[in-house]
Amino acid sequence: MFLKRKKSVFNIVLLAVFVLAMVGCGGVSSSKAKLVEGKVNVVTSFYPLYEFTRAIGGEYVNAINLVPAGVEPHDWSPKSRDIKNMTQAQMFVYQGAGFEGWVKDFIGSLPAESNLKVVEASKGADLIKTSENKDEFDPHAWLSPLNAIKMANNIKIALIGADPAHKEVFEKNYASYEAKLLDLDARYKKELSQTKKKEIAVSHYAFAYLCRDYGLTQMSIMGLSPDAEPTAQDLKKMNAYMKEHDLKYIFFEELVSDKLAKTLAKDAKVDTMVLNPLEGLTDAQMKAGEDYISIMDKNLKNLVIALQ
């Protein structure tokens, strides 16, 4: 698995939720996001899936994003109020490909009579294997706009199944969002095909799909998990890589401390710049109306600057 979780903690929390339900604790979650009667309630495991669901579902869907704004989702796990929302919603959408280490336990704990529709968004996407001997994949598939289209389509199909009366609306909303993703892909292809350099230095090995789709190569300080501890040898390799390819920037992400990236940048006499893996938005970004498309466009702008 991509991430290891402490199953005992999750199971204790889950058991507590079901015990509360059995003794008559009714109502919705105490969190700010609540289930809405008369709409398809969809709980999503992290930000991109939340945006795709809202874009396709429109006014007929109430989407609840599990991971709070500004929180990095790799090591996040649901609390009791989150699990209660998940079990009482009509749909639960998760990334899959090993991204959410707690999901298997949650799905396995659902009672046989549960009507919850579970959607693995990355199913059918063009995934990158991280091990030749095992079915282990890089889960960051949403950073490919073409994969994002497949993921959005999986959500659309599930929404139609949950609310067939509004099939035409979901189809229309999906077609509109698909067009935006295709335009985004076209911009990436055009602008990145014209850059002199094709190598990037990043803090977190999250951009394999973006690199594959647009002919780039990434060297990272850390691995697939952004909180992995790099060794002195890792830092030495990164420094050598930047010198070899005459790189002027190290990319870091906003939801993880930039201390290591800035320290390495100072030693290598280069600058830092943001490359957002879109695992979540900050409060400021949400208030400013940022979304998947706008953040991906900012990523493109920064890539073009770094690759000149």
Side-chain angles (χ1 to χ4, degrees):
M1 288 292 291
F2 169 58
L3 293 174
K4 295 182 179 179
R5 297 285 189 262
K6 294 182 179 178
K7 292 184 180 180
S8 59
V9 174
F10 179 84
N11 289 334
I12 289 170
V13 172
L14 188 61
L15 178 61
V17 173
F18 286 132
V19 168
L20 285 171
M22 290 169 63
V23 298
C25 180
V28 297
S29 167
S30 60
S31 64
K32 292 181 181 179
K34 299 189 182 217
L35 303 179
V36 176
E37 189 173 348
K39 294 190 177 187
V40 181
N41 290 285
V42 183
V43 176
T44 61
S45 64
F46 78 126
Y47 172 73
L49 306 181
Y50 170 74
E51 178 174 326
F52 300 161
T53 300
R54 290 185 68 200
I56 298 164
E59 63 180 307
Y60 300 107
V61 167
N62 174 48
I64 297 174
N65 186 29
L66 285 177
V67 182
V71 175
E72 210 288 326
H74 282 85
D75 291 322
W76 182 91
S77 58
K79 311 300 184 290
S80 59
R81 64 180 180 271
D82 302 314
I83 299 168
K84 189 173 181 182
N85 264 345
M86 290 153 68
T87 56
Q88 293 181 350
Q90 285 78 52
M91 276 175 56
F92 168 57
V93 184
Y94 72 104
Q95 175 66 9
F99 187 64
E100 307 96 339
W102 50 268
V103 162
K104 185 177 180 180
D105 285 338
F106 168 70
I107 294 174
S109 69
L110 289 171
E113 65 273 15
S114 172
N115 293 319
L116 179 66
K117 189 174 189 66
V118 178
V119 181
E120 183 179 5
S122 66
K123 188 173 183 179
D126 188 7
L127 299 179
I128 296 173
K129 269 196 171 187
T130 60
S131 170
E132 291 300 322
N133 300 321
K134 299 179 182 179
D135 287 332
E136 295 177 350
F137 301 94
D138 183 330
H140 301 86
W142 64 89
L143 287 168
S144 159
L146 297 180
N147 270 341
I149 289 173
K150 294 178 182 178
M151 293 162 58
N153 188 56
N154 287 337
I155 294 170
K156 178 203 71 176
I157 292 169
L159 285 174
I160 291 172
D163 184 8
H166 295 109
K167 176 181 177 180
E168 289 187 12
V169 174
F170 299 149
E171 292 277 15
K172 182 179 178 181
N173 290 346
Y174 167 77
S176 175
Y177 199 71
E178 179 190 30
K180 292 179 181 179
L181 291 172
L182 288 171
D183 284 345
L184 179 67
D185 173 64
R187 290 196 295 276
Y188 265 76
K189 284 177 178 172
K190 179 182 178 180
E191 296 195 36
L192 293 180
S193 68
Q194 298 172 358
T195 61
K196 292 192 302 181
K197 298 174 185 174
K198 301 299 178 185
E199 299 81 20
I200 57 174
V202 299
S203 62
H204 170 201
Y205 195 86
F207 302 96
Y209 291 94
L210 190 149
C211 289
R212 179 195 66 187
D213 287 2
Y214 307 113
L216 305 181
T217 302
Q218 67 176 336
M219 172 65 80
S220 69
I221 302 173
M222 294 165 282
L224 285 172
S225 178
D227 59 357
E229 290 292 335
T231 65
Q233 190 64 24
D234 292 331
L235 299 179
K236 186 178 179 181
K237 285 181 179 178
M238 173 62 89
N239 210 323
Y241 183 84
M242 289 188 294
K243 288 181 179 178
E244 178 186 354
H245 297 287
D246 191 29
L247 303 185
K248 305 300 183 185
Y249 296 91
I250 296 177
F251 287 110
F252 69 95
E253 57 190 82
E254 292 158 305
L255 298 184
V256 178
S257 172
D258 62 355
K259 183 177 179 181
L260 184 58
K262 287 190 173 181
T263 298
L264 185 55
K266 184 177 179 181
D267 291 342
K269 295 181 175 56
V270 300
D271 293 322
T272 59
M273 194 157 41
V274 171
L275 191 61
N276 194 327
L278 270 156
E279 292 166 355
L281 299 187
T282 64
D283 280 320
Q285 287 169 332
M286 293 188 72
K287 289 175 183 176
E290 299 279 12
D291 58 20
Y292 177 91
I293 302 291
S294 68
I295 296 294
M296 284 292 282
D297 272 326
K298 287 184 176 181
N299 280 348
L300 177 58
K301 180 179 178 181
N302 286 350
L303 283 167
V304 170
I305 291 171
L307 293 171
Q308 293 304 330

Coordinates of all heavy atoms in Angstrom, one line a residue, residues 224-272:
L224 N 6.9 9.5 -2.7 CA 5.5 9.7 -3.0 C 4.7 10.3 -1.8 O 3.8 11.0 -1.9 CB 4.8 8.3 -3.3 CG 5.1 7.7 -4.7 CD1 4.6 6.3 -4.8 CD2 4.5 8.6 -5.7
S225 N 5.2 10.0 -0.6 CA 4.7 10.6 0.6 C 5.5 11.9 0.9 O 6.7 11.8 1.1 CB 4.7 9.7 1.8 OG 4.2 10.3 3.0
P226 N 4.8 13.1 1.1 CA 5.6 14.3 1.2 C 6.3 14.5 2.6 O 7.1 15.4 2.8 CB 4.5 15.4 1.1 CG 3.2 14.7 1.5 CD 3.4 13.3 1.0
D227 N 5.9 13.6 3.5 CA 6.6 13.7 4.9 C 7.7 12.7 5.0 O 8.2 12.5 6.1 CB 5.6 13.5 6.0 CG 4.8 12.2 5.9 OD1 5.1 11.4 5.0 OD2 4.0 11.9 6.8
A228 N 8.1 12.0 3.9 CA 9.2 11.1 4.0 C 10.5 11.8 4.3 O 10.7 13.0 3.9 CB 9.4 10.3 2.7
E229 N 11.4 11.2 5.0 CA 12.7 11.8 5.4 C 13.8 11.6 4.4 O 14.2 10.4 4.3 CB 13.1 11.4 6.8 CG 12.2 11.8 8.0 CD 12.3 13.3 8.2 OE1 13.3 13.9 7.8 OE2 11.3 13.9 8.7
P230 N 14.3 12.6 3.7 CA 15.4 12.3 2.8 C 16.7 12.1 3.5 O 16.9 12.6 4.6 CB 15.4 13.6 1.9 CG 14.9 14.7 2.9 CD 13.8 14.0 3.7
T231 N 17.5 11.3 2.9 CA 18.9 11.1 3.4 C 19.9 12.1 2.9 O 19.5 12.9 2.0 CB 19.4 9.7 3.1 OG1 19.5 9.7 1.6 CG2 18.4 8.6 3.5
A232 N 21.0 12.2 3.5 CA 22.1 13.1 3.0 C 22.4 12.8 1.6 O 22.7 13.6 0.8 CB 23.3 13.0 3.9
Q233 N 22.4 11.5 1.2 CA 22.7 11.0 -0.1 C 21.6 11.5 -1.1 O 21.9 12.0 -2.2 CB 22.7 9.5 -0.2 CG 23.2 8.9 -1.5 CD 24.7 9.3 -1.8 OE1 25.4 9.6 -0.9 NE2 25.1 9.3 -3.1
D234 N 20.3 11.6 -0.7 CA 19.2 12.1 -1.5 C 19.5 13.6 -1.8 O 19.3 14.0 -3.0 CB 17.9 11.9 -0.8 CG 17.4 10.5 -0.6 OD1 17.8 9.7 -1.5 OD2 16.7 10.2 0.4
L235 N 19.9 14.3 -0.8 CA 20.1 15.8 -1.0 C 21.3 16.0 -1.9 O 21.3 16.9 -2.7 CB 20.3 16.4 0.4 CG 19.2 16.3 1.3 CD1 19.5 17.0 2.7 CD2 17.9 17.0 0.8
K236 N 22.3 15.1 -1.8 CA 23.5 15.2 -2.6 C 23.1 15.0 -4.1 O 23.6 15.7 -5.0 CB 24.6 14.2 -2.2 CG 25.9 14.4 -2.9 CD 26.9 13.4 -2.3 CE 28.2 13.5 -3.1 NZ 29.2 12.5 -2.6
K237 N 22.3 14.0 -4.3 CA 21.8 13.6 -5.7 C 21.0 14.8 -6.3 O 21.2 15.1 -7.5 CB 21.0 12.4 -5.7 CG 21.8 11.1 -5.5 CD 20.8 9.9 -5.5 CE 21.6 8.6 -5.4 NZ 20.7 7.4 -5.3
M238 N 20.2 15.4 -5.5 CA 19.4 16.5 -5.9 C 20.2 17.7 -6.4 O 20.0 18.3 -7.4 CB 18.4 16.9 -4.9 CG 17.6 18.2 -5.2 SD 16.5 18.0 -6.7 CE 15.0 17.4 -5.9
N239 N 21.2 18.0 -5.5 CA 22.1 19.1 -5.8 C 22.9 18.8 -7.1 O 23.0 19.7 -8.0 CB 23.1 19.2 -4.7 CG 23.6 20.7 -4.5 OD1 23.8 21.4 -5.5 ND2 23.8 21.1 -3.3
A240 N 23.3 17.6 -7.3 CA 24.0 17.3 -8.5 C 23.1 17.3 -9.8 O 23.5 17.8 -10.8 CB 24.6 15.9 -8.4
Y241 N 21.9 16.9 -9.6 CA 20.9 16.9 -10.7 C 20.6 18.4 -11.1 O 20.6 18.7 -12.3 CB 19.6 16.3 -10.2 CG 18.5 16.2 -11.2 CD1 18.5 15.1 -12.1 CD2 17.5 17.1 -11.3 CE1 17.5 15.0 -13.1 CE2 16.4 17.0 -12.2 CZ 16.5 15.9 -13.1 OH 15.5 15.8 -14.1
M242 N 20.5 19.3 -10.2 CA 20.2 20.7 -10.5 C 21.4 21.3 -11.2 O 21.2 22.1 -12.2 CB 19.9 21.4 -9.2 CG 18.5 21.1 -8.7 SD 18.0 22.2 -7.3 CE 19.2 21.8 -6.1
K243 N 22.6 21.0 -10.8 CA 23.8 21.5 -11.5 C 23.9 21.0 -12.9 O 24.2 21.7 -13.8 CB 25.0 21.2 -10.7 CG 25.1 22.0 -9.4 CD 26.4 21.6 -8.6 CE 26.5 22.5 -7.3 NZ 27.7 22.1 -6.6
E244 N 23.7 19.6 -13.0 CA 23.8 19.0 -14.3 C 22.8 19.6 -15.4 O 23.2 19.8 -16.5 CB 23.5 17.5 -14.2 CG 23.5 16.7 -15.5 CD 23.1 15.3 -15.3 OE1 22.9 14.8 -14.2 OE2 23.0 14.6 -16.4
H245 N 21.6 19.9 -14.9 CA 20.6 20.4 -15.8 C 20.4 21.9 -15.8 O 19.5 22.5 -16.4 CB 19.3 19.7 -15.6 CG 19.3 18.2 -15.8 ND1 19.4 17.7 -17.1 CD2 19.4 17.2 -15.0 CE1 19.4 16.4 -17.0 NE2 19.4 16.0 -15.7
D246 N 21.3 22.6 -15.0 CA 21.3 24.1 -14.9 C 19.9 24.6 -14.5 O 19.4 25.5 -15.0 CB 21.7 24.7 -16.2 CG 21.9 26.2 -16.1 OD1 22.3 26.6 -15.0 OD2 21.7 26.9 -17.1
L247 N 19.4 23.9 -13.4 CA 18.1 24.3 -12.9 C 18.2 25.5 -12.0 O 19.1 25.6 -11.2 CB 17.4 23.2 -12.2 CG 17.2 21.9 -13.0 CD1 16.4 20.8 -12.2 CD2 16.5 22.2 -14.4
K248 N 17.2 26.4 -12.1 CA 17.3 27.7 -11.3 C 16.2 27.7 -10.2 O 16.2 28.6 -9.4 CB 17.0 28.9 -12.2 CG 18.0 29.0 -13.4 CD 19.4 29.1 -12.9 CE 20.4 29.2 -14.1 NZ 21.8 29.2 -13.7
Y249 N 15.4 26.6 -10.1 CA 14.3 26.6 -9.2 C 14.1 25.2 -8.6 O 14.3 24.2 -9.2 CB 12.9 27.0 -9.8 CG 12.9 28.5 -10.3 CD1 13.3 28.8 -11.6 CD2 12.5 29.5 -9.5 CE1 13.3 30.1 -12.1 CE2 12.5 30.8 -9.9 CZ 12.9 31.1 -11.3 OH 12.8 32.4 -11.7
I250 N 13.7 25.2 -7.3 CA 13.2 24.0 -6.7 C 11.7 24.3 -6.4 O 11.4 25.3 -5.8 CB 13.9 23.7 -5.4 CG1 15.4 23.3 -5.6 CG2 13.2 22.5 -4.7 CD1 16.1 23.0 -4.3
F251 N 10.8 23.4 -6.8 CA 9.4 23.5 -6.5 C 9.0 22.9 -5.2 O 9.5 21.8 -4.8 CB 8.6 22.8 -7.6 CG 8.6 23.6 -8.9 CD1 9.3 23.0 -10.0 CD2 7.9 24.8 -9.1 CE1 9.3 23.7 -11.3 CE2 7.9 25.4 -10.3 CZ 8.6 24.9 -11.4
F252 N 8.2 23.7 -4.4 CA 7.7 23.1 -3.2 C 6.1 23.3 -3.2 O 5.6 23.9 -4.1 CB 8.2 23.9 -2.0 CG 7.8 25.3 -1.8 CD1 6.7 25.6 -1.0 CD2 8.5 26.3 -2.5 CE1 6.4 27.0 -0.9 CE2 8.1 27.7 -2.3 CZ 7.0 28.0 -1.5
E253 N 5.4 22.7 -2.3 CA 4.0 22.8 -2.2 C 3.5 23.5 -1.0 O 4.2 23.5 0.1 CB 3.4 21.4 -2.3 CG 3.8 20.4 -1.3 CD 3.3 19.0 -1.6 OE1 4.0 18.3 -2.4 OE2 2.3 18.6 -1.0
E254 N 2.4 24.1 -1.0 CA 1.9 25.0 0.0 C 1.4 24.3 1.3 O 1.4 24.8 2.4 CB 0.8 25.9 -0.5 CG 1.3 26.9 -1.5 CD 0.2 27.4 -2.4 OE1 -0.5 26.6 -3.1 OE2 0.1 28.7 -2.5
L255 N 0.9 23.1 1.2 CA 0.4 22.4 2.3 C 1.4 21.6 3.2 O 1.1 21.0 4.2 CB -0.7 21.4 1.9 CG -1.9 22.0 1.2 CD1 -3.0 20.9 0.9 CD2 -2.5 23.1 2.0
V256 N 2.7 21.7 2.7 CA 3.8 21.0 3.4 C 4.9 22.0 3.7 O 5.1 22.9 2.9 CB 4.3 19.8 2.6 CG1 5.5 19.2 3.3 CG2 3.2 18.8 2.3
S257 N 5.6 21.9 4.8 CA 6.6 22.9 5.1 C 7.6 23.0 4.0 O 8.1 22.0 3.4 CB 7.3 22.4 6.4 OG 8.5 23.2 6.7
D258 N 8.0 24.2 3.7 CA 9.0 24.5 2.6 C 10.4 24.6 3.2 O 11.3 25.0 2.4 CB 8.6 25.8 1.9 CG 8.6 27.0 2.8 OD1 8.8 26.8 4.0 OD2 8.4 28.1 2.3
K259 N 10.6 24.3 4.4 CA 11.9 24.5 5.1 C 13.0 23.8 4.4 O 14.1 24.3 4.1 CB 11.8 24.1 6.6 CG 13.1 24.4 7.3 CD 12.9 24.0 8.8 CE 14.2 24.2 9.6 NZ 14.1 23.8 11.0
L260 N 12.8 22.5 4.1 CA 13.8 21.7 3.5 C 14.1 22.2 2.0 O 15.3 22.3 1.7 CB 13.4 20.2 3.4 CG 14.4 19.2 2.8 CD1 15.7 19.3 3.7 CD2 13.8 17.8 2.9
A261 N 13.1 22.5 1.3 CA 13.3 23.0 -0.1 C 14.1 24.3 -0.1 O 15.0 24.5 -0.9 CB 11.9 23.2 -0.8
K262 N 13.7 25.2 0.9 CA 14.4 26.5 0.9 C 15.9 26.3 1.4 O 16.8 27.0 0.9 CB 13.7 27.4 1.8 CG 12.4 27.9 1.2 CD 11.7 29.1 2.0 CE 10.6 29.6 1.2 NZ 9.9 30.7 1.9
T263 N 16.1 25.4 2.3 CA 17.5 25.1 2.7 C 18.3 24.6 1.6 O 19.5 25.0 1.4 CB 17.5 24.1 3.9 OG1 16.8 24.6 5.0 CG2 18.9 23.7 4.3
L264 N 17.8 23.6 0.8 CA 18.5 23.1 -0.3 C 18.7 24.1 -1.4 O 19.8 24.2 -2.0 CB 17.7 21.9 -0.9 CG 18.4 21.1 -2.0 CD1 19.8 20.6 -1.6 CD2 17.6 19.9 -2.4
A265 N 17.7 25.0 -1.6 CA 17.8 26.0 -2.6 C 18.9 27.0 -2.2 O 19.7 27.5 -3.1 CB 16.5 26.7 -2.7
K266 N 19.0 27.3 -1.0 CA 20.0 28.2 -0.5 C 21.4 27.6 -0.7 O 22.3 28.3 -1.2 CB 19.8 28.6 1.0 CG 20.8 29.6 1.5 CD 20.5 29.9 3.0 CE 21.5 30.9 3.5 NZ 21.3 31.2 5.0
D267 N 21.6 26.4 -0.4 CA 22.9 25.7 -0.6 C 23.2 25.6 -2.1 O 24.4 25.7 -2.5 CB 22.8 24.3 0.0 CG 22.7 24.3 1.5 OD1 23.1 25.3 2.1 OD2 22.3 23.3 2.1
A268 N 22.2 25.4 -3.0 CA 22.5 25.2 -4.4 C 22.4 26.6 -5.1 O 22.7 26.6 -6.3 CB 21.4 24.3 -5.0
K269 N 22.1 27.7 -4.4 CA 22.1 29.0 -4.9 C 21.0 29.1 -6.1 O 21.3 29.6 -7.1 CB 23.5 29.4 -5.4 CG 24.5 29.6 -4.3 CD 25.8 30.0 -4.9 CE 26.8 30.3 -3.8 NZ 27.1 29.2 -2.9
V270 N 19.9 28.6 -5.8 CA 18.7 28.6 -6.7 C 17.5 29.2 -5.9 O 17.6 29.4 -4.7 CB 18.4 27.3 -7.3 CG1 19.6 26.7 -8.1 CG2 17.9 26.3 -6.2
D271 N 16.4 29.5 -6.6 CA 15.2 30.0 -6.0 C 14.2 28.9 -5.8 O 14.3 27.8 -6.4 CB 14.6 31.1 -6.9 CG 15.5 32.3 -6.9 OD1 16.1 32.7 -5.9 OD2 15.6 33.0 -8.0
T272 N 13.1 29.2 -5.1 CA 12.0 28.3 -4.9 C 10.8 28.9 -5.6 O 10.6 30.1 -5.7 CB 11.7 28.0 -3.4 OG1 11.4 29.3 -2.8 CG2 12.9 27.3 -2.7

